[in-house]
Structure formats: structure tokens, C-alpha cells
Amino acid sequence: MDINALYNEWLEKATGDPDLTAELESIKGKDDEILDRFYRSLEFGTAGLRGVIGAGTNRMNIYTVGRATQGLSDFLNKNYENPSIAIGYDSRIKSDYFSKEAASVLAANGIKVYIYEELEPTPCLSFAIRYFHTSSGIILTASHNPAKYNGYKCYNPKGYQMTDEEAAETYDFIQKVDYFTGIKKVDFDEAVADGRIEYIGQEVIDAFLDEVQKQCINPDIVKAAGLKVIYTPLNGTGNKPVRQILDRIGIDKVYVVPEQENPDGNFPTCPFPNPEIKQVFEIGLEMNKKIGADILLATDPDCDRVGIAVPDSSGELVLMSGNEVGAMLLNYILSERKAKGNLPDSAIAVKSFVSTDLAEVIAKKYNCTFKNLLTGFKYIGELITNLEEEGRASDFVMGFEESYGYLAGTHARDKDAVVASMLICEMAAYYKMKGMNLVDVMNSLYDEFGYYNNTVESYTFEGAAGMEKMAGIMDTLRANSPAEIAGYKVVAVSDYKTSKTTFADGKTEAIDLPKSNVLAFALDGGNKVIVRPSGTEPKIKAYITAIGNSKAEAAAVADKLVLAANEFMK
């Protein structure tokens, strides 16, 4: 591949967006800048596309979006008779622009398009697919990435992200499309006028909120508790739906962080709009000095994930982890539904296998079947769909991932921060009426089940060299599997790429899950280290589980395991 020839072709032909023309002109003669934009094409996988916004094959722009959409159109026309699609988008830079570009390509290929009229949460896109019975769905979002990123996620007719097979076939079609000559396109406004593109109306949003509201377990308690909530949508899509659902269940004291209320893809007060990061709560924490809220909520830009901060008994605000919130929510839902007599005998809860094992112990207390699946909410969506096809959809209680993604109900097949925000507030109200805050609740679970310290360490590897470094780290760990980590004996190594667990005595066992580039090291005492390259970012993540008889003991074990994980990444 001649990088300079490719650059010159784009300089000549990429004239559809003046931002791209200016960027291409600005990097003339800068070999490193040109290489970074053209050394590869953005890869299309089960998470679709994700990359920095800008010019080149390794960037998110109208040509990479158009090419992906043409390939998707070819896939849909091959596999479906009279295909249709739903499209959503978030507040990110150019998300609305890219969504219209995609709609114009799909319409030109004879595919009926339903598109949201304004930005909406990712779970609303999942809901719309099933509402309209479309063949696919697209949402333009980069979730919680920094402002320079955007992305393009594709869904199947079931409402969850494409499977490996669907994504691979779509990618085969994409690779056959020329960026400049291979993309069919019609005028967006003309296609709206003649019905090929149809706006999604408020009735669909209302239907979505109706389904979310059905998951409320104790509405009377919520109204009586007088809960005070500070909420930030982090300049994203959650502002309207989250406030609407909290109002519906009787929470009328909701204070929105004004600097982060309205959509803004530059995220001026939170450059990393990720509810896992304390910085996104800083303005809300300052507001709270006057308000004295019971809980602070932050949803990420596409409102599929939510983080919380709550006051402890001394009034100090504590940020709670995704694992802690997942464990508390599961315990609350199971205990309350059992008390009310509406917990199914064959209830099922599920989490990603890198999330806290505490959830599995809680589920056992309530005789709830528990499943561990690969990371990626599509696997939870697939499980729900399988249950539905067996006539058992009502058996699904809850699913979650440690990265702050939760789902109760079957209205969506992706994580949903709207329903999660509602249930978290309901849970806080319920325990407030019992004189407990959520820190008290979490400590009571630790006291009952043991202290689980779950830590996630992220290691970033940017650019072409970074991708090679990531691959090398995984290859080295596979070839030279450690016998112990931080002084703890490795009792089993699970390689999800080969679908095999190898125990310390040499025995092996098959892993009945799709293949994935993940290594899991099970250690003495129930401790774990799981190493997994991100599917959407240039990162390797180490998921560490440390168990102790006390909080301090578990934290000390976690510290040792983090240091060991750091050594892996050198």
C-alpha cells in the first residue's frame, strides 16, 4: 500500500466536507501525520466502527461512514427481502451529520429508513428496531470516549449488536466498496419527502418510557421518600428521557447540572465524559454543597451507562463502582420481587465474566440461575432473545457489566441507563425509608457475603506501534503463562481464544462461549486476573478480583495484583 498515493487521492477527491479538505492540506509533507491517518482502514467488527474524527481511511468521516453504510446496504439487500433500518445518534461532533449521510446511502439502495428526529439514547435505538421490526439498526456514537472520537454501531433485527458472523459478512461487503466511486447516495430531504426516510415520532419515545416504567417495583415508596437527585447527562442524550422517567415515578426533586445539561460534543467541562471517572462529578459535587442530595447520577453521552455518587453516614460523597451498583441492584430486585411474590421460579440473572463474582453469590441466595457471558452486551441481548423464543422472557431479571451498564426488562437488548437510573433512584428511596444510604447497603452485602475488591486497570497503546505492542503482550502471556501472580498460585488459565481452560495439574476443560482474545488467570483464594484488549479503544484492560475477610485485606491483595498486572504491560 502506497500511503502517499492514498493521501494524494484523498486530497484530490475528498471534497464533500470542507473540514476534511483543510485537514488534508494542513498535513502536507508531514509523514507521521499522513501515516497515522492512512496506515489502515477503520476495522468493522461487532462494535462497528470507532475512531478519531478527521480525514483519512483511519478516521471517522463522511467517506468512511458512507463506505460502511454501502457495505451494510449490500449485506441487507442480500439477506433480507424489502429490508428496513432504524437510525439514532448522540451529541457527538458530526453525529447528526453522519446519521443523515448513512440514511441517504441506505435510501439510495432501496432500504426503508426510520431515523430519530433528535438525539436519543442508544437503548432507544435498540427499542426502535423491535418496534418497527426492522432488519438492522445504526447508532452514531462513541459512547464515553473523548470528544475527538465518534463511532458507528450496527444492530441486527433482534435489537442487539451484530454477531461475529453478521459483522464479518458485512465487513466483506464493505471492503469491496471504493471510498469515492462505490457509494450510492440520494438527497436526504428528497428521500424524506417521498417516504423513503421517515422520522421516528414521539409516540415511540413514549412507548419506550412506558416499558421502562413497568420495571418500577415500589412506586409508592419512591413518592413517599422525597428523594433529592442531582443529575448530569454529561452534555449527551439522557437529559430528556432520564428526567421524564424520574418524574413519572414521583421524583420531583431533580437538579440538573446546568453546565452539562445541553448537548455539546466538545464536552467542555468533562473532556472524558465517562461516568467511571470522578472528574465528571466535580461540578455536581460542588452543587451538592447547597442542595444536600441523596444521590448524584451521571449518564454517558449515549445514555447507556450510568455512574453514581452517594453520601455516607458522615455526609462525605462516595463514588460507587459499576460492580457495586450491579450487585446492589441485583440484590434489591431479587429481594423485593421475592417479597412481593413475583420472582419467577426459574429466574435468570447474568453478567459479563469480568464483572464481580459477588453477584453470583447473591443470586444463589434467592435460587436465581446465574450466567456469565463474554464482555459485550450483545451476549446478554442474545440470551434475552433466546429466552423470549422459548416463551421465557419474563424469567430474565437483570443483566449488567462492570463498566456501568445495566438492564432490567426486555424492552431493549442493550444496556440502558434510563431504566438503570430509575431503578437506582428507586433503590435509594427504598433504603432511605429504612434509614440507610447506599454505602450502608453495600457494606451490609460485604458483611454478609465477603469483601470483593474489583479493580480495572487500563493501559493505552496509541497508533500503529501501539497495536503491535498490544498483540505482543497477549502473545507473550499465552506463550509464557505464569505459574503464580504476586505470590498467588495460578490454579487455572482460561484462554477464550482457544476455548480451553488448563488447570495446574494439566487437566483441560472446554469453554462453551464464542472465541475471544482474552486470558483469565484464576488464583488461590478465589482471586483473579483477566487480561483483555478492548474491542473499541487502543487499550488492554486488566480486570482484578481480590477477596478478603475485611475491606483492608481485600484492598491489600488488589494492590499486589495491580503491580503484577503492570509488569505484564511493559
Side-chain angles (χ1 to χ4, degrees):
M1 179 176 59
D2 186 334
I3 298 292
N4 284 318
L6 197 54
Y7 164 71
N8 287 325
E9 181 186 21
W10 275 66
L11 192 61
E12 177 190 349
K13 297 179 180 178
T15 58
D17 181 345
D19 291 343
L20 303 186
T21 303
E23 182 180 343
L24 289 165
E25 290 286 354
S26 74
I27 61 171
K28 271 186 179 178
K30 299 176 182 178
D31 290 343
D32 288 347
E33 296 276 5
I34 292 170
L35 176 65
D36 188 45
R37 287 163 175 78
F38 291 98
Y39 80 91
R40 65 167 189 161
S41 291
L42 283 181
E43 191 169 329
F44 183 95
T46 56
L49 305 172
R50 189 172 298 189
V52 173
I53 302 162
T57 58
N58 189 34
R59 293 288 189 268
M60 284 291 295
N61 53 65
I62 58 170
Y63 299 102
T64 52
V65 167
R67 181 175 182 252
T69 309
Q70 182 60 54
L72 175 63
S73 298
D74 295 337
F75 166 79
L76 293 175
N77 277 320
K78 177 193 171 187
N79 290 287
Y80 298 92
E81 188 175 344
N82 300 318
S84 58
I85 195 165
I87 300 178
Y89 59 93
D90 69 2
S91 63
R92 287 188 172 270
I93 297 166
K94 294 187 184 285
S95 276
D96 54 348
Y97 180 35
F98 292 158
S99 70
K100 289 184 176 181
E101 187 73 16
S104 297
V105 173
L106 289 155
N109 283 273
I111 296 166
K112 172 72 177 187
V113 178
Y114 299 92
I115 186 169
Y116 276 109
E117 199 159 7
E118 64 178 5
L119 72 173
E120 296 291 350
T122 288
C124 291
L125 184 275
S126 176
F127 180 82
I129 291 167
R130 299 178 69 251
Y131 184 94
F132 291 108
H133 305 289
T134 63
S135 316
S136 184
I138 299 168
I139 189 151
L140 280 302
T141 178
S143 188
H144 56 281
N145 285 91
K148 67 180 181 178
Y149 284 87
N150 210 327
Y152 175 108
K153 293 201 294 188
C154 286
Y155 289 69
N156 67 18
K158 308 293 186 181
Y160 52 88
Q161 287 182 47
M162 280 185 164
T163 63
D164 294 339
E165 295 77 13
E166 291 164 333
E169 187 179 351
T170 301
Y171 189 43
D172 285 343
F173 279 111
I174 292 170
Q175 289 179 297
K176 296 171 186 175
V177 178
D178 183 271
Y179 287 96
F180 303 109
T181 62
I183 302 167
K184 299 176 186 175
K185 190 176 165 185
V186 297
D187 180 81
F188 179 86
D189 292 331
E190 287 181 10
V192 170
D194 64 26
R196 285 178 289 175
I197 298 174
E198 182 178 326
Y199 281 117
I200 297 172
Q202 183 60 40
E203 69 277 4
V204 180
I205 304 296
D206 291 340
F208 169 79
L209 292 172
D210 289 345
E211 291 301 315
V212 169
Q213 191 174 352
K214 289 177 184 177
Q215 298 307 309
C216 187
I217 302 169
N218 285 308
D220 293 339
I221 288 176
V222 174
K223 291 174 183 176
L227 200 74
K228 283 186 179 181
V229 179
I230 290 177
Y231 170 57
T232 171
L234 298 180
N235 303 114
T237 61
N239 188 34
K240 288 184 179 181
V242 170
R243 292 168 74 175
Q244 286 168 352
I245 199 64
L246 296 184
D247 181 67
R248 280 187 179 210
I249 66 168
I251 300 175
D252 55 8
K253 296 175 182 175
V254 178
Y255 305 87
V256 180
V257 176
E259 297 91 337
Q260 298 169 341
E261 177 176 3
N262 295 318
D264 187 342
N266 292 298
F267 309 116
T269 63
C270 51
F272 295 90
N274 184 342
E276 298 177 60
I277 299 172
K278 183 178 181 180
Q279 189 263 347
V280 306
F281 286 95
E282 286 179 353
I283 300 175
L285 292 171
E286 191 63 31
M287 275 180 65
N288 192 55
K289 292 176 181 177
K290 294 181 180 179
I291 292 169
D294 298 293
I295 188 167
L296 280 69
L297 296 175
T299 54
D300 67 344
D302 68 323
C303 196
D304 64 352
R305 306 190 314 137
V306 58
I308 69 170
V310 296
D312 63 14
S313 54
S314 70
E316 183 180 347
L317 282 157
V318 177
L319 269 66
M320 307 203 77
S321 73
N323 279 314
E324 289 177 323
V325 173
M328 282 192 294
L329 272 177
L330 180 61
N331 183 72
Y332 172 72
I333 293 169
L334 289 174
S335 62
E336 283 304 291
R337 290 191 62 181
K338 185 169 185 178
K340 292 179 180 298
N342 60 17
L343 181 66
D345 292 336
S346 50
I348 293 178
V350 60
K351 68 176 180 66
S352 62
F353 73 118
V354 298
S355 302
T356 182
D357 293 334
L358 175 57
E360 193 164 356
V361 180
I362 290 169
K364 186 176 181 180
K365 175 182 177 180
Y366 298 99
N367 296 315
C368 174
T369 299
F370 203 89
K371 299 281 188 182
N372 283 287
L373 302 177
L374 291 179
T375 298
F377 226 87
K378 63 179 178 289
Y379 297 113
I380 297 176
E382 184 178 36
L383 179 143
I384 298 169
T385 299
N386 291 339
L387 288 174
E388 185 177 59
E389 290 173 353
E390 295 169 12
R392 297 181 54 205
S394 60
D395 286 347
F396 175 74
V397 173
M398 179 189 161
F400 79 96
E401 293 184 328
E402 52 75 35
S403 53
Y404 293 56
Y406 319 95
L407 176 66
T410 61
H411 58 283
R413 302 297 154 91
D414 209 339
K415 49 192 177 287
D416 179 7
V418 182
V419 75
S421 295
M422 181 191 77
L423 285 170
I424 289 167
C425 288
E426 178 190 330
M427 176 172 65
Y430 173 84
Y431 288 112
K432 181 181 180 182
M433 296 292 283
K434 291 182 174 291
M436 298 173 71
N437 58 57
L438 293 185
V439 177
D440 296 330
V441 175
M442 194 66 234
N443 286 334
S444 72
L445 293 177
Y446 285 141
D447 289 341
E448 181 176 358
F449 299 109
Y451 285 80
Y452 287 71
N453 184 309
N454 295 96
T455 303
V456 183
E457 295 292 313
S458 292
Y459 307 87
T460 301
F461 304 88
E462 295 281 5
M467 299 297 286
E468 290 183 14
K469 176 73 172 175
M470 287 169 62
I473 288 169
M474 297 304 293
D475 289 344
T476 298
L477 282 173
R478 282 195 168 87
N480 303 286
S481 182
E484 64 173 43
I485 298 176
Y488 297 94
K489 181 182 177 183
V490 176
V491 297
V493 179
S494 296
D495 188 340
Y496 289 81
K497 194 172 184 179
T498 62
S499 300
K500 184 172 72 173
T501 296
T502 303
F503 296 93
D505 61 6
K507 292 180 180 177
T508 62
E509 185 178 279
I511 298 172
D512 187 23
L513 287 172
K515 293 185 185 299
S516 184
N517 186 20
V518 179
L519 289 167
F521 301 94
L523 311 177
D524 283 333
N527 304 305
K528 287 181 183 177
V529 176
I530 300 174
V531 182
R532 171 184 169 266
S534 172
T536 57
E537 301 171 272
K539 292 180 179 180
I540 291 181
K541 293 184 178 182
Y543 301 84
I544 291 161
T545 298
I547 303 173
N549 294 318
S550 69
K551 200 167 190 176
E553 183 181 318
V557 175
D559 288 343
K560 293 180 186 177
L561 295 177
V562 167
L563 289 175
N566 292 345
E567 291 298 312
F568 291 161
M569 303 302 158
K570 290 182 177 178

